[in-house]
Amino acid sequence: MATFLFSIGLLIVGYIVYSKVVERVFGINDKEPTPAYSKSDGLDYVPMSWWKGSLIQLLNIAGLGPIFGAIMGALYGPVAFIWIVVGCIFAGAVHDYFSGMLSLRHNGAQYPTLVGMYLGKTVQVIINIISIILMVLVAAAFVAGPAQLIAEITPLSFMVAIFAIFAYFLCAALLPVNKVIGRIYPIFGGILIFMAVSIAVALLLTDRAIPNLTLDNLHPGELPIWPLLMVTISCGAISGFHSTQSPIIARTLKKQSDGRKVFYGAMIAEGIIALIWAAAGMTFFGGTDGLAGALNAGGPAGVVNEISTTLLGTLGGILAILGVIILPITTGDTAIRSSRMMLIELLSKGFNNKKGKGVVLFATMIVVIPAFYLSTIDYSFLWRYVGWTNQLVATVMLWTGAMYLLKNNKFHWICGVPAMFMTAVVCTYIFYAPEGLGMDYYISVVIGGFLTLFVIAWYIKKIRSYRG
């Protein structure tokens, strides 16, 4: 229990202290008008309060990610606490802050456009493709589970449920951000927080002992921690999907100082939620072996349902159903919305949405149609490819932040160090993972290491070139 409580305390201290360091390095000016005012269009550029933006941002970036991912990551034992805390404070929250604030600084630009500004047009083209593919995969993967549950508890069939969900997706993607997302997301964000806090309190009040971090139980499983843990627990530590979502809220901020609370703060909140569910997974089933058996029997959704109903009774059952249905849907709809925004930037180069409703609809349908098709196939197949694509996007965003700081003669290491770490994660994972090349573990580690050294050499060359 001490490790769990200490970890939560570290995340809170990380927000109080390190978020201010990051903000100071980035540099803000509240006298400059934000895009919400300078580019107001009644669709995406709409001023909203910071607290509402924070709850929307939390729901956009979280969904079931910090719940399902943390439960899966709990199989690695208490070492998951270390990754969530360190990853969240020094990588994930920095990643989210820079993706949001760079977007704000560049008139609400989307993630691929930011990449092009600081890493070049070639990388931008590649990232445009990868980002849109990631959005389609996320939207599709986060439809099948809710649709299946809806079919089980209502008279609706699976396909009718999918049609209903995608009808909602279209509304959320096409209507002004303050009409649907701005009104209902703060409520759902509150539900997500209430659900996590309730589980945490129930855990602390039961006689189940939350495992502490010791040398004996650092990693009880057989799977290698490196780099699998860093991909398994992405939401709650660092997730590239967040960089595609942050521009949605960047277009609504009233002032630049709101960015620390909205972007860095929402990521810390997600980290706390991930810690709670990782602790619940390790504790409730009596260890990692029991958790593994529960996951094999009912999957992450079954584990969430069993923990919630046992610890919280009827309330827990209701929260579990709401979580498994609502949270993934609210991630899928913003995935569609952000990909629509990316496509408009890509196809129309700054097209004015007020005069282009047909273009907005066309860009939305380009994403909705393949997402709809993919939602009808195996969920687990889709999710395998979301993992490494997600962390690749995160790595590129960190390098984008590092190049921004380097070009502006600022302390670039706050992005550069986590970027190097995530480069090593992605390079090793692609060679080792089954959805990658499926190579021998030690060979994958060596190749990943060499590729990382190559990228570091590029980074050092950039540093020297800017120093003259």
Side-chain angles (χ1 to χ4, degrees):
M1 181 184 295
T3 301
F4 171 63
L5 295 175
F6 184 64
S7 297
I8 291 179
L10 285 177
L11 285 178
I12 295 172
V13 171
Y15 173 73
I16 294 172
V17 177
Y18 197 63
S19 69
K20 293 180 180 178
V21 173
V22 173
E23 182 184 61
R24 191 176 302 115
V25 170
F26 182 84
I28 61 171
N29 182 4
D30 279 343
K31 293 182 180 179
E32 294 181 2
T34 62
Y37 295 106
S38 62
K39 297 193 67 177
S40 179
D41 65 357
L43 178 64
D44 296 316
Y45 294 90
V46 180
M48 289 196 297
S49 62
W50 72 263
W51 66 267
K52 185 177 289 187
S54 294
L55 287 172
I56 296 171
Q57 174 74 0
L58 175 61
L59 204 61
N60 283 358
I61 66 175
L64 285 176
I67 300 177
F68 282 12
I71 287 172
M72 300 284 287
L75 291 172
Y76 293 86
V79 70
F81 292 150
I82 298 177
W83 167 235
I84 292 171
V85 171
V86 176
C88 186
I89 294 173
F90 298 105
V94 174
H95 166 280
D96 287 16
Y97 183 82
F98 273 82
S99 63
M101 293 303 292
L102 282 176
S103 175
L104 182 145
R105 184 142 293 177
H106 294 287
N107 294 316
Q110 290 296 297
Y111 163 68
T113 300
L114 298 175
V115 171
M117 290 177 181
Y118 295 102
L119 296 180
K121 296 300 180 183
T122 301
V123 180
Q124 179 182 359
V125 171
I126 297 171
I127 283 299
N128 249 315
I129 296 171
I130 292 175
S131 299
I132 293 173
I133 289 174
L134 175 61
M135 296 301 95
V136 171
L137 287 173
V138 167
F142 279 1
V143 166
Q148 186 64 50
L149 183 55
I150 290 172
E152 291 176 1
I153 64 176
T154 71
L156 299 178
S157 68
F158 176 72
M159 288 305 300
V160 171
I162 286 182
F163 272 107
I165 293 172
F166 272 94
Y168 163 74
F169 280 0
L170 285 173
C171 292
L174 296 174
L175 291 174
V177 67
N178 60 332
K179 297 299 182 183
V180 176
I181 293 175
R183 290 182 178 178
I184 66 173
Y185 270 40
I187 298 172
F188 294 154
I191 291 174
L192 176 64
I193 294 172
F194 179 75
M195 183 179 183
V197 171
S198 299
I199 292 295
V201 172
L203 272 179
L204 295 173
L205 294 179
T206 63
D207 56 359
R208 296 178 172 90
I210 301 174
N212 287 315
L213 184 64
T214 66
L215 292 178
D216 293 333
N217 70 349
L218 181 67
H219 174 45
E222 297 180 358
L223 291 173
I225 296 174
W226 176 266
L228 299 186
L229 177 61
M230 292 76 193
V231 177
T232 302
I233 301 181
S234 54
C235 290
I238 178 172
S239 168
F241 178 70
H242 299 186
S243 64
T244 68
Q245 302 301 293
S246 294
I248 295 177
I249 305 304
R251 297 182 178 193
T252 70
L253 294 187
K254 292 182 175 181
K255 55 184 179 180
Q256 292 186 14
S257 57
D258 287 343
R260 183 174 71 90
K261 293 173 282 190
V262 171
F263 300 120
Y264 200 103
M267 184 62 211
I268 292 295
E270 187 186 59
I272 293 174
I273 292 171
L275 276 176
I276 292 170
W277 282 101
M282 295 177 207
T283 306
F284 186 83
F285 299 98
T288 54
D289 290 340
L291 174 60
L295 285 170
N296 289 332
V303 168
V304 170
N305 183 62
E306 186 172 351
I307 292 174
S308 300
T309 53
T310 302
L311 294 181
L312 303 177
T314 303
L315 173 62
I318 295 172
L319 289 175
I321 291 173
L322 286 174
V324 173
I325 293 177
I326 293 175
L327 296 180
I329 290 175
T330 54
T331 299
D333 64 2
T334 50
I336 296 293
R337 189 180 187 94
S338 60
S339 57
R340 181 263 291 170
M341 292 160 66
M342 288 181 195
L343 280 169
I344 287 178
E345 280 194 6
L346 178 65
L347 299 175
S348 54
K349 298 180 180 179
F351 192 83
N352 188 332
N353 290 328
K354 286 183 179 178
K355 301 177 182 178
K357 293 181 180 179
V359 173
V360 172
L361 177 60
F362 175 71
T364 303
M365 295 309 298
I366 289 177
V367 182
V368 166
I369 292 172
F372 179 85
Y373 168 73
L374 290 174
S375 68
T376 62
I377 68 177
D378 181 35
Y379 168 91
S380 60
F381 171 80
L382 293 175
W383 195 246
R384 285 170 56 187
Y385 291 91
V386 170
W388 72 265
T389 307
N390 185 41
Q391 298 305 62
L392 174 61
V393 169
T395 304
V396 174
M397 182 63 237
L398 285 171
W399 283 121
T400 300
M403 289 302 103
Y404 162 78
L405 294 173
L406 189 58
K407 287 183 178 182
N408 287 277
N409 197 29
K410 296 174 183 282
F411 188 69
H412 54 88
W413 296 107
I414 63 170
C415 286
V417 172
M420 288 186 281
F421 178 84
M422 290 305 298
T423 298
V425 168
V426 170
C427 288
T428 305
Y429 187 85
I430 289 175
F431 285 96
Y432 176 64
E435 62 270 26
L437 298 178
M439 296 175 62
D440 176 78
Y441 175 71
Y442 294 104
I443 293 176
S444 300
V445 171
V446 171
I447 296 175
F450 275 116
L451 289 176
T452 303
L453 289 175
F454 177 80
V455 175
I456 292 174
W458 164 83
Y459 185 31
I460 293 173
K461 184 178 178 180
K462 283 288 186 181
I463 295 172
R464 290 174 176 172
S465 68
Y466 281 107
R467 286 178 177 174

